[in-house]
Amino acid sequence: MTSFKSKLARLGPLPTERRGGAPLVPAPEPLARGVAAEDAERSATPAATPSAAPSGGDAAPAARPTARPAAVPPAAGGARPSLDELRERISRIVARGAPPAPRADPSRGELPFHVEQTPGGPLYVSRTRSLAAARVGRAPLVAARDADPAMLALLSLDPALAGCDVRRALFLDTETTGLAGGTGTVPFLVGLAWFDPGAASAGPLGEPSSDGFVLEQLLLRRLGEEEPILRRLAERLADASMIITYNGKAFDMPLLRTRYVMNRLPPPPELPHLDLVHVARRIHKARLKTRTLIALEHDVLGRVRVGDVPGGEIVACYAHFLRTGDEEALLGVVEHNAADVLAMVALVGLYGEPLGSLAAGDLAGVAATLRRAGALDRAAELADAAVERGGGAAARRARGDIAKARGDKARALSDYEALAAEIDDPAVRLELAKLYEHHVRAFARALELADKGTAEPEPAQARRRARLQRKIDRRAGGAAALPLPFEPPEGAGALRREGEGEE
């Protein structure tokens, strides 16, 4: 039985040229030297040379060659390269590519970090110390050292802060790979600051250094090296009496606790937490439309950042650093983080003693916050200062609310009347209508204010107008009005006035 190899050999070679001389695609060389071709070569006979035909007979045809002719190299023009040639070209192109960039080492380049070897791996740290006279805009950093914790507790509406030592506070801010939070967001730069007394340290020549704040930044060189950062942060938290952040209650601290869980580390200690974003919203809501940290730095502290990296570009800068090792991409991010931390230190100095440092409009916000906290005497002092310094409508409103809460109805009526002449506010008319009805008992004046509209639902306004009209009608029937000034007649204190206790 004829074998498959011998049948394949009898087929002969494929044509190498098209009609007109154009070469066909040559077979790859390994295929041309296959088993079938080798068998064909072993069984082939030399090709016969054409000769003259014998006399008297036809010319004998030339013997058909059985061996495959040599492969024709691809022509320069019009030929398609073989698969092996394409592979060789691709290999040469790939070999010409640039070698992969080495992993970035922030301790050897432009970034201000040095490496510390820890049991959990390398830790990249930048640590600087502020001078005693350092300022952020017009606010000295050292003022935060003497901030009143009782005032900070009142402004934050958190009594737990009243017993904290501000000198042992830890300021914290993070830069992360996103703002969504959750397990996929990683803090790659942690900025910390704390007060360091000068007696515990010395200068470069051994001389005693002055008091100042230490700024420490921890950098995640690449993902997967979080453990040294988290362990260092836990050490700093263990030495602190409280945490101070800007929006850290909602973002930074929950994210960091998640990273401790993801790295199977013990959670950090729970400390009293002063979140400055809530304090800023209460104090500056009447004066500032936006209360971002950069806006406060500009409008409250008086410093303008030049060349600052916008918050929306921080993630892209870190991603570029991870891909390329380009340290210059992170320089602006590191400076941005340091500016955020020091701005928080300066704000604590202002909020800790607001009377001598804040503008009149901001003092009105402080007074209103202290009223909410129940510190009425201190609130009245700050409200008076705000009015005297030209705090405007916000200051008068705060002083009127505080006077009403303290029971000083005459002062409240005076402030509300001045405020009503300055602005058209239904809420102010409501307060005046209440005072005229229940304190002055000037029902006609109260009805006049109610008819102009008060900050009440329509059913409540209708009930108030109806009640005031009944009182007016009853008085017209013979009841005497309360004489001015606004003091009850002698001996009338034991009698319950009509409508007393109504709002």
Side-chain angles (χ1 to χ4, degrees):
M1 182 167 132
T2 306
S3 66
F4 175 74
K5 294 181 180 181
S6 56
K7 288 181 180 180
L8 185 62
R10 286 200 298 272
L11 291 177
L14 295 174
T16 59
E17 293 186 357
R18 294 193 187 96
R19 293 179 182 178
L24 294 174
V25 178
E29 183 62 22
L31 221 48
R33 302 298 301 170
V35 177
E38 292 177 358
D39 291 346
E41 287 178 359
R42 285 196 296 268
S43 60
T45 56
T49 304
S51 57
S55 58
D58 296 333
R64 181 180 178 181
T66 57
R68 185 180 183 278
V72 178
R80 289 171 23 180
S82 66
L83 184 60
D84 289 337
E85 290 173 338
L86 290 175
R87 287 172 177 166
E88 184 179 357
R89 292 182 186 180
I90 293 174
S91 299
R92 288 197 300 266
I93 293 173
V94 172
R96 286 199 301 265
R103 293 190 183 275
D105 187 354
S107 64
R108 298 183 179 180
E110 300 180 9
L111 294 175
F113 290 87
H114 67 273
V115 62
E116 295 181 6
Q117 297 300 330
T118 69
L123 176 64
Y124 291 90
V125 185
S126 172
R127 191 177 296 111
T128 58
R129 181 186 179 87
S130 67
L131 300 175
R135 291 174 172 266
V136 176
R138 56 177 172 268
L141 295 180
V142 74
R145 174 195 62 187
D146 303 320
D148 183 7
M151 175 61 71
L152 296 176
L154 292 173
L155 292 177
S156 63
L157 304 179
D158 184 1
L161 297 173
C164 294
D165 183 4
V166 181
R167 294 188 176 215
R168 294 178 51 229
L170 182 67
F171 296 82
L172 183 147
D173 184 64
T174 63
E175 309 300 333
T176 65
T177 58
L179 300 177
T183 57
T185 304
V186 178
F188 66 86
L189 183 61
V190 179
L192 306 172
W194 64 89
F195 176 73
D196 183 27
S201 59
L205 301 179
E207 74 279 7
S209 61
S210 58
D211 293 350
F213 280 85
V214 175
L215 172 66
E216 183 177 70
Q217 294 174 286
L218 311 175
L219 176 65
L220 183 66
R221 179 183 62 164
R222 61 172 179 263
L223 301 178
E225 294 182 348
E226 291 181 86
E227 182 178 346
I229 295 178
L230 297 176
R231 290 190 182 276
R232 175 60 59 85
L233 176 59
E235 295 173 2
R236 300 301 184 204
L237 289 172
D239 295 334
S241 65
M242 60 186 294
I243 308 171
I244 300 178
T245 64
Y246 200 87
N247 198 33
K249 283 186 176 180
F251 183 74
D252 297 81
M253 291 309 298
L255 177 61
L256 289 170
R257 293 189 186 100
T258 300
R259 301 318 303 172
Y260 277 93
V261 174
M262 297 298 294
N263 286 270
R264 300 182 179 181
L265 294 175
E270 296 282 349
L271 298 176
H273 191 159
L274 172 60
D275 195 336
L276 294 175
V277 71
H278 303 297
V279 178
R281 288 170 180 171
R282 297 182 187 114
I283 293 178
H284 307 292
K285 65 179 180 180
R287 189 167 71 92
L288 304 180
K289 294 183 179 179
T290 61
R291 271 84 65 181
T292 64
L293 190 55
I294 295 179
L296 293 180
E297 190 174 342
H298 178 271
D299 297 323
V300 178
L301 301 178
R303 185 178 78 169
V304 179
R305 296 190 190 183
V306 178
D308 184 57
V309 176
E313 299 179 7
I314 289 177
V315 177
C317 291
Y318 184 63
H320 178 73
F321 169 77
L322 291 180
R323 288 195 307 267
T324 65
D326 182 10
E327 297 177 355
E328 188 176 354
L330 275 188
L331 281 174
V333 178
V334 173
E335 294 173 357
H336 174 94
N337 177 258
D340 284 350
V341 175
L342 295 180
M344 289 191 294
V345 176
L347 285 174
V348 168
L350 293 183
Y351 297 154
E353 187 51 54
L355 187 57
S357 54
L358 290 178
D362 297 334
L363 281 180
V366 173
T369 305
L370 295 187
R371 178 186 63 83
R372 291 181 56 188
L376 297 180
D377 292 340
R378 188 69 187 276
E381 177 187 356
L382 291 172
D384 289 338
V387 173
E388 292 172 1
R389 297 181 187 181
R396 291 191 178 277
R397 177 62 188 266
R399 191 170 71 172
D401 291 342
I402 295 167
K404 179 185 175 183
R406 299 177 72 190
D408 190 352
K409 302 297 181 61
R411 168 56 69 99
L413 183 64
S414 174
D415 283 329
Y416 287 144
E417 282 284 12
L419 190 59
E422 185 176 350
I423 62 174
D424 182 19
D425 188 350
V428 175
R429 287 195 293 270
L430 175 61
E431 296 298 335
L432 281 172
K434 291 178 182 179
L435 287 172
Y436 275 113
E437 178 183 2
H438 303 299
H439 175 61
V440 183
R441 297 181 63 80
F443 304 132
R445 174 62 175 157
L447 182 59
E448 178 185 352
L449 291 167
D451 288 338
K452 292 180 179 179
T454 58
E456 294 177 294
E458 183 57 35
Q461 293 188 46
R463 289 194 299 270
R464 182 177 298 278
R465 288 193 294 267
R467 184 176 68 246
L468 289 170
Q469 188 62 52
R470 287 196 303 269
K471 292 181 179 181
I472 293 174
D473 294 341
R474 188 176 297 116
R475 173 169 291 175
L482 181 68
L484 295 180
F486 311 130
E487 295 293 339
E490 185 177 356
L495 300 178
R496 182 182 185 277
R497 299 192 186 99
E498 180 185 359
E500 185 175 350
E502 297 174 353
E503 290 292 323

